[in-house]
Amino acid sequence: AQSVTQLDSQVPVFEEAPVELRCNYSSSVSVYLFWYVQYPNQGLQLLLKYLSGSTLVKGINGFEAEFNKSQTSFHLRKPSVHISDTAEYFCAVSDWRDYKLSFGAGTTVTVRA
Amino acid sequence: KAGVTQTPRYLIKTRGQQVTLSCSPISGHRSVSWYQQTPGQGLQFLFEYFSETQRNKGNFPGRFSGRQFSNSRSEMNVSTLELGDSALYLCASSLDRGSYEQYFGPGTRLTVT
């Protein structure tokens, strides 16, 4: 079974500053990794995914993430945040045996002017 | 292309009643999964349907059930509602079982009183 740990439950950050959201996973097999964003009263929007290939993955809205197999991590970064990036962010994992997503507890990002 | 749609968006029910939620996947998508989101338990997988068959089931009691129709639309049903069933129920669709990327709808907010 897989599990996901998001190391920060809340991250306050000033506008135009960089942000990093940390995600660690555990699994006995090769995994597929995802970051989703959820704005208030909305569903989840896929930011980016790692399925195979390059370990540096670029997504929408200027986000990127790096897959590190040795550290079992998939941290999300953005070099300069906007007020509109205020939302909850979820890291998720699945594997080839099982198409369900296992989610972390989420990280709430609050961007302040 | 239209996204995943879920109806109704909001629902208020009384303990002991039953409820049916509906999900229409993205056109051409054949796999539909359901997730429950609560503040206490986070995002949890309920079940997955593909080709009108349940392919995977999460750790939920038998009061939670679902089905998928030939046009890939899906419904989930909760019988004998309990207060703890209050949650945001999210539907996600993917092109195929092997595509891994899941696209979420806006959810149905169920409140049980």
Side-chain angles (χ1 to χ4, degrees):
Chain A
Q2 317 115 334
S3 67
V4 178
T5 302
Q6 291 184 242
L7 297 160
D8 308 290
S9 60
Q10 304 211 19
V11 173
V13 58
F14 286 106
E15 193 174 19
E16 298 183 9
V19 70
E20 179 181 77
L21 308 185
R22 297 179 294 167
C23 172
N24 286 95
Y25 68 92
S26 67
S27 177
S28 57
V29 299
S30 296
V31 297
Y32 306 105
L33 294 156
F34 307 85
W35 276 99
Y36 284 87
V37 61
Q38 186 176 36
Y39 300 103
N41 299 315
Q42 294 188 27
L44 303 176
Q45 181 182 8
L46 180 63
L47 276 177
L48 48 76
K49 61 185 182 290
Y50 172 79
L51 302 180
S52 65
S54 172
T55 57
L56 182 62
V57 179
K58 293 191 183 297
I60 62 170
N61 301 340
F63 285 94
E64 64 179 32
E66 185 155 19
F67 170 57
N68 188 319
K69 188 174 181 179
S70 62
Q71 297 187 10
T72 60
S73 68
F74 190 55
H75 301 334
L76 180 71
R77 301 184 184 96
K78 185 170 183 178
S80 176
V81 297
H82 304 293
I83 298 288
S84 59
D85 291 321
T86 294
E88 190 159 19
Y89 293 79
F90 293 93
C91 181
V93 63
S94 77
D95 67 52
W96 62 269
R97 303 166 302 177
D98 189 329
Y99 299 96
K100 72 177 186 182
L101 291 168
S102 297
F103 287 90
T107 298
T108 300
V109 173
T110 304
V111 182
R112 303 168 181 168
Chain B
K1 188 181 273 191
V4 177
T5 57
Q6 292 186 246
T7 56
R9 291 292 312 277
Y10 301 91
L11 206 49
I12 300 175
K13 290 285 188 179
T14 304
R15 271 181 301 175
Q17 288 185 314
Q18 75 163 20
V19 67
T20 299
L21 312 182
S22 180
C23 170
S24 292
I26 293 171
S27 178
H29 283 199
R30 300 194 297 160
S31 175
V32 173
S33 297
W34 289 88
Y35 294 83
Q36 182 197 63
Q37 185 178 24
T38 60
Q41 299 298 316
L43 281 153
Q44 295 185 283
F45 171 77
L46 278 157
F47 25 64
E48 178 214 352
Y49 286 88
F50 178 77
S51 291
E52 301 177 63
T53 303
Q54 187 180 93
R55 302 296 178 139
N56 203 348
K57 190 178 191 315
N59 189 25
F60 279 83
R63 301 184 296 107
F64 291 82
S65 63
R67 59 178 176 168
Q68 185 182 36
F69 302 96
S70 58
N71 61 359
S72 295
R73 192 176 68 85
S74 177
E75 289 181 346
M76 67 163 281
N77 185 76
V78 188
S79 62
T80 320
L81 284 165
E82 301 177 359
L83 294 178
D85 297 333
S86 294
L88 181 67
Y89 290 88
L90 292 163
C91 168
S93 76
S94 59
L95 189 61
D96 209 333
R97 293 204 82 214
S99 61
Y100 297 105
E101 297 174 44
Q102 296 186 29
Y103 296 89
F104 284 78
T108 294
R109 172 77 61 186
L110 172 64
T111 302
V112 182
T113 62

